[in-house]
Amino acid sequence: MSTALKSVFSTMKKQGLVKMMEQYLLSRSVEEDTDRKNETNSPSSALGCTRANIYQRMGAPKEILSARSRRIFDNGHGVHDRTQTYLEEMGVLLMREVPLFNDEEEIQGHTDGLLDLQRNLIEVKILEIKSINSHQFSSLKEPKEEHRAQASVYLFVLEEHRKKLKTLYPTWKDFKRSELYRRKMYAKRYAHLKGGRRYTREQKIGFKVNQHIKCDEILYKLVKPINSVIFLYENKDTQDYKEFEIKRDAEVLARALAKYRDNNKWWKKIK
């Protein structure tokens, strides 16, 4: 019996406010699962299994989060939101939840933010936040291998997009004139979204489009590439931090792109 099904039966035995909350959390997990687009490569699984990637693209059923797992997931989201808020108040977070895509390599995902520690749009860095338990935190001496690959993909995708914007729109005036076109283009990327309990389909798409437009403006204003990712690990038991900065790594990126291309090759054979 699946974890989610066990959670459904367990919820049926409960009463009062707890039962209402459990039912709500289960319904949220179902809704949020339908918002994910499957037919792409995710930066977070840059070195992942090709078979798993193909199953994902085929729309294989996913394990819906149980109510308890949803609370654990939301705790992790709370770490992100709290840290992003601190950095916004400090004036060094340019934006949070930065969308990224590369159609050539069939990549789509998002980063946790863009940092401008010097507040001059010269040394902008990518932010990635991770919450881990005390055991993992105490043994963490360097970024995990999968996080190095994730960082390389982030840097590659954002730089390719920055260069494309600069090529397509040579002047700031050209760039601003293109906004309506870009809005329509980005909206098409989220045509699969559906309305839910908290937001309508239009609100969801509008939010995503606005994030792309904001990201475009930041990237267009940059005079040089983003060259590093700061991984901020928080011990979710003690709220201590560890920070690692990951620079561009051509070898790691080559491995990640080779994996993506293998995924794409197999997907084209069976779709």
Side-chain angles (χ1 to χ4, degrees):
M1 184 183 296
S2 70
T3 303
L5 195 54
K6 288 179 181 177
S7 184
V8 170
F9 285 124
S10 174
T11 298
M12 291 170 62
K13 299 176 183 178
K14 296 177 181 178
Q15 297 180 350
L17 180 60
V18 170
K19 182 175 183 177
M20 292 172 64
M21 291 178 64
E22 298 267 307
Q23 290 173 331
Y24 165 71
L25 292 173
L26 284 173
S27 69
R28 260 190 61 196
S29 291
V30 172
E31 177 188 331
E32 291 179 20
D33 186 64
T34 63
D35 281 351
R36 298 188 184 97
K37 188 172 179 61
N38 296 322
E39 296 183 8
T40 56
N41 293 302
S42 168
S44 61
S45 58
L47 301 180
C49 170
T50 296
R51 183 189 296 269
N53 180 271
I54 297 303
Y55 283 157
Q56 168 193 299
R57 293 186 179 202
M58 291 174 65
K62 296 180 181 178
E63 183 74 19
I64 301 298
L65 291 179
S66 67
R68 178 175 179 274
S69 296
R70 168 54 60 187
R71 291 194 291 273
I72 293 172
F73 180 86
D74 286 345
N75 268 344
H77 179 74
V79 170
H80 286 64
D81 183 64
R82 171 166 45 78
T83 303
Q84 289 164 329
T85 299
Y86 295 157
L87 295 169
E88 284 172 340
E89 292 172 348
M90 292 163 57
V92 298
L93 187 67
L94 292 172
M95 72 173 292
R96 60 169 79 188
E97 306 305 320
V98 182
L100 53 82
F101 67 94
N102 183 283
D103 291 334
E104 289 77 12
E105 305 294 349
E106 300 179 28
I107 301 169
Q108 185 159 328
H110 72 276
T111 75
D112 289 329
L114 290 177
L115 291 165
D116 186 9
L117 301 181
Q118 304 303 318
R119 301 179 178 88
N120 56 14
L121 282 182
I122 294 177
E123 295 292 339
V124 172
K125 305 175 189 294
I126 294 169
L127 170 68
E128 191 65 15
I129 303 165
K130 303 292 184 184
S131 61
I132 56 179
N133 61 37
S134 293
H135 175 72
Q136 294 174 310
F137 189 84
S138 62
S139 61
L140 189 69
K141 307 301 180 186
E142 60 182 10
K144 297 181 179 181
E145 184 66 18
E146 62 266 30
H147 294 164
R148 292 186 185 278
Q150 186 177 354
S152 294
V153 173
Y154 285 158
L155 292 167
F156 165 76
V157 172
L158 285 181
E159 176 56 14
E160 288 299 299
H161 189 58
R162 187 185 77 91
K163 290 190 296 186
K164 186 175 182 179
L165 289 172
K166 293 281 192 177
T167 301
L168 289 174
Y169 313 113
T171 69
W172 177 252
K173 191 173 183 180
D174 293 329
F175 173 72
K176 293 301 289 182
R177 281 177 175 170
S178 72
E179 182 173 326
L180 181 58
Y181 166 76
R182 287 181 288 117
R183 282 186 176 276
K184 291 178 178 178
M185 178 185 69
Y186 293 139
K188 290 179 181 178
R189 306 190 74 86
Y190 301 99
H192 66 284
L193 295 180
K194 298 178 182 179
R197 285 173 172 263
R198 293 180 292 174
Y199 304 107
T200 66
R201 177 175 182 271
E202 290 71 24
Q203 287 173 325
K204 289 181 178 182
I205 294 175
F207 174 78
K208 295 286 189 180
V209 169
N210 286 337
Q211 290 297 91
H212 278 282
I213 295 299
K214 185 173 183 179
C215 178
D216 283 358
E217 293 221 359
I218 293 171
L219 292 179
Y220 193 87
K221 290 176 181 178
L222 297 183
V223 296
K224 60 192 243 183
I226 300 173
N227 288 314
S228 67
V229 181
I230 292 181
F231 269 76
L232 194 61
Y233 295 86
E234 179 174 310
N235 184 333
K236 59 186 177 182
D237 301 320
T238 66
Q239 285 67 59
D240 289 325
Y241 284 130
K242 282 186 180 179
E243 173 187 346
F244 299 96
E245 186 167 0
I246 303 176
K247 302 285 188 178
R248 288 182 177 276
D249 189 318
E251 183 178 342
V252 173
L253 176 62
R255 287 175 55 205
L257 293 182
K259 170 60 70 173
Y260 286 155
R261 289 163 186 167
D262 193 45
N263 293 346
N264 299 339
K265 177 186 70 175
W266 283 105
W267 175 240
K268 285 179 174 65
K269 286 183 178 181
I270 65 173
K271 73 174 181 177

